[in-house]
Amino acid sequence: MLNSASEVEFSEEKTTEEISQLSSLALSGDTAYSEKTSTGLPEKTGYPDSVYIMAANIFQGIRFEKSPEKVLIKYGNEPLPSSTESEDESFQRLSYELAFSALKFQDILETILIDSYIFPSTTIPDHLNSLIIVMLYDFQDRKFQARLLSDNEESIAEVLEVENLLNSFKTKLAAALARCRIKHDALSIYHILPETVRNQELRASTLPLYAWINTCKISPEEVYHSLKKKGYNKVKSVLHIDNKVFAVDQHCYDVLIFPSHLKSDLLNIDLFKDYKLVFQDKSRSLAVHSVKALLNMDDDILMINSGSWYTVAHMSILTNNNTSKIFVCGVQSQAKDPDLKNLFTKMGCKNIEILHETFINLESKDHRLQKVKVILLLPRCSGLGVSNPVEFILNEHEDTGLLKDFSQGGPSEDKLHILAQQQYEQLTHAMKFTRAQAVVYCTCSVYPEENEAVVKKALEFQDHGTKVQSYRLSPPVLPLCSLKEIHLSTDKFFRMEPSEITNGCFLSVLTRERDPSETVSVKDVLARAAAKGLLDGIELGKPSKREKKKKKSKMSLPKSSTSDSSSIQMKIAEFLSQETNASAHQSETLTTKTSLPQKNTNQVGSSSQVRKSNKPTTNPLVPTFMKNTSPSRPYERLTNFVRPRPEDRMIALKPVEIVLPPVMLPFSSPQGIRSQIPTQHFYCRWVGPKTVMPGYLPTPSIPRRGKKPKENLPSSLPRHPRPWL
């Protein structure tokens, strides 16, 4: 206690000097805070009374409790009455930020209160001590300047009482703060924090903003055009750029990146007000895009611990063109249903169904989940890959107790073990859904205990006794855009380490192994399709031996097969080639009035019947010209009639019925023909493709039974070697 006026004057002068030093040094070394004030934002003038009340209640629930022998200040158990304004999202964000800041400096703030003789000289009730802590932090953050109040703001008695107390001890509080800073040899109290917390604060101040495009309302091109009209230019990277720019994310085509200092400006444009652009951490966009890559058109999705409703909405937007349905479990309070439905309606989401059961209580045989093929698991985690804990807590609806872990740079081993066990139980339960074919596991943590260890343990101890196939670890379905990402994903896990451009993220994709009994060949698939009538009578075949022979020698011909379209084409080409030579030979023979043609002109189906008239064929519809085909005929001659198909191309051919024309033999009398060839064997029916030789083999008109064929005139033969064409 001061005893003389000179001592009081000296103390006030010293305190004034310390306050001036505090104004220049207290937060000058605080890079995170200096970033906030160097962007042209106004100086801090304090918070509304309702923010102080809500922050005090939050701090009361997350503060560090000390052993009885080390207790400096006692906190009550009764919460302060809060107003309806505390339900506003902006007020909640401010309250959480203030409570978290007070939590990080709890020991220092308590020491300042003791050193300034506020305690135990005052008789303030214990339940107001939490309010004193949060208001003291804001008081020193404003460099002990008075708070500016708006005219229409309603005052709260408890806030005015604490504010008057702090103003009356202003000089003593500033002096205690200066002594604390000198004791720790720090430019500001910010430098007293652990290094991990300081680095986290630094990243939070410069981390870019990520926003995904609601393609149900607007296309990416329209967003680019609208931003350009607002003065935003599209660039490849937004790092170290202070202008109004944006970039497109490399992993997610519908995600845009903005510099951090533009958030207040962006929130005022219509794109964000109308939910055409939505701010969200990139890790959640990576999760929903991984699910989208695994979906078929009619597959349903089950989302577990979705956290932010924006994650559910983003999943719905990506599956808008499908018939998929999204089931969201864990919404225990039905009172939130109207608000959620209203939000989803504003965003254009239509395929979302909310389940009020917890995930552990859901059974795989639930009739609502029979079409679920992909499960997205976003378990509660430590979140130590996130730079802004308050955003993480609010957006993902996480437990506020995590703020205590963030303030110390990480959770305790016991807390980490509890989280890992919960994650393991949820993952193993997801793997029990027999109809599901894939599970996407995603966290915002950087601890292997919550990531790789959980996944590997679940795969190792999965139940192999069920009839369904087991799960296996699959490679990432996201693009790897750098060598570092490729290196981090060598063990099939997708990782993103915390950096100046993104938060930390871990993602794993589990898919069921392929059932060997369900493996079918191409022939089996075609046979099933033909049995169902899907091929419209088309017969396809692609023997591997034939392909190998073709690669060895292009001159060799394939074996005949009624189911092979390429063999059919070559048969027709061979037949036409022989027919051309036979017709030309007939013309020469008729001109010189010779007798029967040479033996090689009888290679066609009709001639074969002449040679074997005493031995009727068992199947007159099957041509026999391939049996006597001359092997010395070069393959290149066939190209005059049929263009060979490429070997690597399979063309579907439809069978048709072709009636071959009557063969005109050079007998002097038609009686000779009748004596040797039965009338019913004049025509040879043969099934071949319609489109092989269009225009070359039209169906001729068949003469009536019993009518004699017209006698061929030698003068007309040279002009019409093949009268059926």
Side-chain angles (χ1 to χ4, degrees), residues 84 128 220 283 381 498 504 535 555 597 633 641:
T84 56
L128 291 181
S283 62
C381 62
L535 299 183
M555 299 298 295
R633 187 180 302 275
F641 303 94

Side-chain angles (χ1 to χ4, degrees), residues 18-237:
E18 289 178 341
I19 292 177
S20 63
Q21 292 176 355
L22 182 65
S23 300
S24 59
L25 295 177
L27 300 179
S28 61
D30 188 346
T31 309
Y33 289 105
S34 63
E35 286 288 334
K36 295 178 182 178
T37 57
S38 64
T39 55
L41 297 177
E43 292 289 336
K44 292 184 177 182
T45 57
Y47 297 98
D49 290 5
S50 58
V51 173
Y52 289 122
I53 295 295
M54 186 176 182
N57 290 333
I58 296 173
F59 177 82
Q60 175 70 22
I62 63 176
R63 63 181 176 82
F64 293 101
E65 296 183 2
K66 300 179 180 180
S67 57
E69 62 274 8
K70 295 182 180 180
V71 170
L72 299 178
I73 299 177
K74 295 181 180 180
Y75 298 91
N77 297 323
E78 300 178 4
L80 298 174
S82 59
S83 62
T84 56
E85 292 180 346
S86 61
E87 299 179 359
D88 184 80
E89 183 179 353
S90 60
F91 276 69
Q92 286 185 354
R93 196 172 304 277
L94 293 174
S95 301
Y96 272 94
E97 289 177 351
L98 180 57
F100 180 59
S101 298
L103 179 66
K104 290 185 292 185
F105 299 102
Q106 178 179 345
D107 289 340
I108 298 175
L109 295 175
E110 289 179 350
T111 302
I112 292 174
L113 289 175
I114 297 297
D115 196 20
S116 61
Y117 296 101
I118 288 184
F119 290 101
S121 61
T122 59
T123 57
I124 294 181
D126 292 344
H127 70 279
L128 291 181
N129 289 341
S130 295
L131 182 61
I132 293 176
I133 290 291
V134 297
M135 292 190 68
L136 174 59
Y137 172 80
D138 179 58
F139 195 30
Q140 66 83 29
D141 195 26
R142 288 185 280 116
K143 303 175 183 179
F144 298 99
Q145 300 299 317
R147 180 169 65 113
L148 298 179
L149 300 176
S150 59
D151 297 334
N152 56 356
E153 183 179 352
E154 184 178 355
S155 300
I156 299 177
E158 292 84 354
V159 175
L160 290 178
E161 181 181 358
V162 172
E163 187 173 26
N164 292 333
L165 173 66
L166 295 178
N167 282 326
S168 63
F169 280 84
K170 178 173 64 174
T171 55
K172 295 182 179 180
L173 289 171
L177 175 62
R179 288 191 292 269
C180 180
R181 176 178 54 81
I182 295 173
K183 176 182 177 181
H184 290 86
D185 192 20
L187 292 176
S188 69
I189 60 174
Y190 170 77
H191 290 87
I192 304 175
L193 294 175
E195 183 179 0
T196 54
V197 178
R198 296 202 307 268
N199 293 336
Q200 188 181 73
E201 293 279 346
L202 178 61
R203 286 196 308 107
S205 64
T206 59
L207 190 70
L209 305 171
Y210 290 86
W212 52 270
I213 301 173
N214 186 348
T215 52
C216 282
K217 288 178 168 287
I218 193 171
S219 66
E221 291 74 17
E222 291 174 329
V223 172
Y224 304 156
H225 180 70
S226 178
L227 289 174
K228 188 175 182 180
K229 290 174 61 177
K230 297 288 185 180
Y232 289 84
N233 296 319
K234 186 178 179 181
V235 295
K236 292 185 177 181
S237 175

Side-chain angles (χ1 to χ4, degrees), residues 350-367:
K350 301 178 181 179
N351 57 343
I352 300 174
E353 183 172 338
I354 299 174
L355 306 178
H356 296 285
E357 301 93 333
T358 59
F359 174 62
I360 297 298
N361 294 331
L362 280 178
E363 296 183 358
S364 60
K365 296 181 180 179
D366 194 316
H367 68 280

Side-chain angles (χ1 to χ4, degrees), residues 242-514:
D242 295 332
N243 299 329
K244 298 174 70 174
V245 295
F246 70 94
V248 180
D249 185 68
Q250 293 180 324
H251 298 96
C252 307
Y253 62 88
D254 61 342
V255 173
L256 303 184
I257 313 173
F258 299 90
S260 59
H261 65 273
L262 296 176
K263 186 170 185 178
S264 59
D265 181 61
L266 290 170
L267 289 174
N268 293 324
I269 66 177
D270 294 336
L271 289 175
F272 287 91
K273 290 181 179 179
D274 299 336
Y275 294 104
K276 295 178 180 178
L277 279 176
V278 180
F279 282 124
Q280 194 172 23
D281 186 67
K282 180 180 175 178
S283 62
R284 296 320 188 203
S285 297
L286 292 173
V288 297
H289 274 274
S290 297
V291 173
K292 178 64 170 61
L294 299 168
L295 287 177
N296 292 320
M297 288 295 293
D298 58 344
D299 292 344
D300 290 347
I301 307 161
L302 177 61
M303 299 185 66
I304 307 164
N305 296 337
S306 58
S308 173
W309 302 119
Y310 291 154
T311 307
V312 181
H314 196 184
M315 188 77 263
S316 175
I317 298 301
L318 291 179
T319 58
N320 182 56
N321 296 327
N322 299 7
T323 57
S324 302
K325 183 177 291 186
I326 302 172
F327 295 93
V328 184
C329 64
V331 185
Q332 299 180 4
S333 176
Q334 297 185 6
K336 296 182 179 180
D337 286 2
D339 296 336
L340 294 178
K341 291 180 179 179
N342 184 36
L343 173 65
F344 293 148
T345 301
K346 290 181 180 180
M347 301 185 72
C349 305
K350 301 178 181 179
N351 57 343
I352 300 174
E353 183 172 338
I354 299 174
L355 306 178
H356 296 285
E357 301 93 333
T358 59
F359 174 62
I360 297 298
N361 294 331
L362 280 178
E363 296 183 358
S364 60
K365 296 181 180 179
D366 194 316
H367 68 280
R368 299 168 296 181
L369 309 177
Q370 295 307 302
K371 292 179 62 179
V372 169
K373 299 300 181 183
V374 183
I375 299 177
L376 175 57
L377 176 57
L378 303 169
R380 297 187 182 276
C381 62
S382 63
L384 261 294
V386 179
S387 61
N388 193 329
V390 173
E391 294 286 344
F392 178 71
I393 295 296
L394 293 178
N395 294 338
E396 305 302 326
H397 305 289
E398 293 286 352
D399 183 13
T400 55
L402 291 178
L403 290 176
K404 187 183 299 185
D405 300 329
F406 279 105
S407 66
Q408 293 182 321
S412 62
E413 292 185 2
D414 293 339
K415 181 68 173 292
L416 194 61
H417 176 74
I418 294 174
L419 289 173
Q421 183 63 27
Q422 294 175 353
Q423 295 154 1
Y424 170 75
E425 292 175 356
Q426 290 185 340
L427 182 56
T428 52
H429 188 64
M431 296 168 66
K432 294 178 181 178
F433 284 72
T434 56
R435 294 184 179 271
Q437 298 299 313
V439 177
V440 177
Y441 179 87
C442 181
T443 73
C444 298
S445 175
V446 295
Y447 291 111
E449 292 86 347
E450 297 181 277
N451 299 332
E452 298 92 331
V454 171
V455 175
K456 291 179 179 179
K457 183 180 178 181
L459 290 174
E460 181 181 358
F461 294 100
Q462 63 179 314
D463 186 8
H464 297 280
T466 58
K467 295 181 180 180
V468 296
Q469 293 299 111
S470 302
Y471 276 99
R472 64 178 178 181
L473 190 62
S474 296
V477 293
L478 297 169
L480 303 178
C481 304
S482 65
L483 293 176
K484 184 177 182 180
E485 291 181 5
I486 295 175
H487 175 72
L488 292 174
S489 304
T490 52
D491 52 356
K492 297 184 180 181
F493 295 116
F494 183 87
R495 302 181 184 87
M496 294 185 66
E497 295 180 344
S499 64
E500 61 180 353
I501 60 174
T502 183
N503 286 322
C505 173
F506 173 85
L507 194 143
S508 175
V509 178
L510 306 180
T511 57
R512 292 198 184 275
E513 297 178 355
R514 186 181 299 275

